[in-house]
Amino acid sequence: MSFYEKLKFNSDGLIPAIIQDQASGRVLMMAWMNRASLETTLSTGKTHFWSRSRQKFWMKGESSGNVQLVKDVAFDCDGDTVLIQVEQAGAACHEGYRSCFFRSVAGDGATDRVSEPRLQTTEEIYGKK
Amino acid sequence: MSFYEKLKFNSDGLIPAIIQDQASGRVLMMAWMNRASLETTLSTGKTHFWSRSRQKFWMKGESSGNVQLVKDVAFDCDGDTVLIQVEQAGAACHEGYRSCFFRSVAGDGATDRVSEPRLQTTEEIYGKK
């Protein structure tokens, strides 16, 4: 039985993919993959996803240059989530932070705080619009 | 604006929660939360989820004793995923592994391999049925 047959894609044909920086252990982002984006991720060694909002296949870093080189692909006991270890170029977050999870809850949910430095501005990542 | 107002729960009122071991950085599991389980997670300091298959509110460790003490709650740029740092008692996975992501892809997806030792048997976790 291949790896793909052990996975459960949801009713939209998607599975959540957690992306983790292999060197630091920092969780960088979570995005959705369909089978084609997962196959391309494995065959090219660069992460590819399916954008639910844009209904579009995309490669991480295609606009920003901040690609993710795949180091390991794991999947969970239920087969409904994948965990991918990567080597991340630059900022993973489109807002210029290393991780999309740059905010943490403070004060029982009443407020939040930024937990890491911003590496790049949006202009630096995507150029002036 | 409170933390909750920055989150986007899906059409079922759920948001995916990535659970990470704060000490080791190991990603332990991914499960779903509704607003009530997230509020209870924050107020009690122990993770609570919503089971989609059982349609049931549950506390991690309620059967196994392997509870998760909450150390930090972060959320991503889009507000559609949370990342929770915990102190994990015992195995996070119901199959007795520290992490639910105990299998990794090998050989371009044709096979997979177990990447960590099993800590407990199912019988040791849940008792004889």
Side-chain angles (χ1 to χ4, degrees):
Chain A
M1 186 188 267
S2 87
F3 154 65
Y4 295 104
E5 288 158 353
K6 294 182 179 177
L7 297 183
K8 292 177 202 148
F9 294 87
N10 72 13
S11 57
D12 294 323
L14 301 175
I15 193 166
I18 301 166
I19 310 300
Q20 184 173 29
D21 183 276
Q22 189 180 45
S24 69
R26 181 74 170 133
V27 175
L28 299 173
M29 55 184 278
M30 197 285 270
W32 295 80
M33 290 183 167
N34 57 16
R35 177 154 173 166
S37 56
L38 188 51
E39 285 175 345
T40 308
T41 294
L42 279 167
S43 63
T44 65
K46 294 179 183 171
T47 56
H48 290 70
F49 301 96
W50 176 260
S51 169
R52 297 177 302 168
S53 56
R54 293 178 291 151
Q55 289 286 300
K56 185 175 174 292
F57 185 86
W58 63 290
M59 184 187 84
K60 176 67 189 172
E62 63 187 13
S63 305
S64 64
N66 294 346
V67 297
Q68 295 171 335
L69 301 182
V70 175
K71 299 300 178 181
D72 186 76
V73 177
F75 57 105
D76 71 350
C77 48
D78 296 327
D80 62 7
T81 307
V82 298
L83 170 64
I84 302 182
Q85 305 291 332
V86 301
E87 184 184 317
Q88 171 72 55
C93 182
H94 74 288
E95 294 197 25
Y97 295 89
R98 182 74 174 167
S99 165
C100 294
F101 296 95
F102 60 87
R103 292 172 295 180
S104 283
V105 176
D108 289 339
T111 55
D112 56 86
R113 61 184 173 77
V114 171
S115 61
E116 60 180 74
R118 197 170 188 175
L119 302 181
Q120 295 175 287
T121 64
T122 306
E123 270 189 7
E124 284 168 348
I125 300 175
Y126 298 103
K128 288 193 182 182
K129 298 282 165 102
Chain B
M1 187 189 270
S2 87
F3 156 63
Y4 295 105
E5 288 159 354
K6 295 182 178 177
L7 297 184
K8 292 176 202 147
F9 293 87
N10 71 11
S11 58
D12 293 324
L14 301 176
I15 193 165
I18 302 165
I19 310 299
Q20 185 173 29
D21 184 276
Q22 189 179 45
S24 68
R26 181 74 171 133
V27 174
L28 300 172
M29 55 184 278
M30 197 284 270
W32 294 81
M33 291 185 167
N34 57 15
R35 177 155 174 164
S37 56
L38 188 50
E39 286 176 343
T40 308
T41 294
L42 280 168
S43 64
T44 64
K46 293 178 184 171
T47 56
H48 290 70
F49 301 96
W50 177 259
S51 168
R52 296 176 304 168
S53 57
R54 292 179 290 150
Q55 289 285 302
K56 185 174 173 293
F57 185 87
W58 62 290
M59 185 186 85
K60 176 67 189 170
E62 64 187 11
S63 305
S64 62
N66 294 347
V67 297
Q68 295 171 334
L69 301 181
V70 175
K71 298 299 177 181
D72 186 76
V73 177
F75 58 105
D76 72 351
C77 48
D78 296 326
D80 61 8
T81 307
V82 297
L83 170 64
I84 302 181
Q85 305 291 332
V86 301
E87 184 183 318
Q88 171 73 57
C93 182
H94 73 289
E95 294 196 25
Y97 295 89
R98 181 74 174 169
S99 165
C100 293
F101 297 94
F102 60 86
R103 291 173 296 180
S104 283
V105 176
D108 290 339
T111 55
D112 57 85
R113 62 183 172 76
V114 172
S115 61
E116 60 179 75
R118 196 170 189 175
L119 302 180
Q120 295 176 285
T121 64
T122 306
E123 268 190 7
E124 284 167 348
I125 300 174
Y126 299 104
K128 289 192 183 182
K129 294 286 166 92

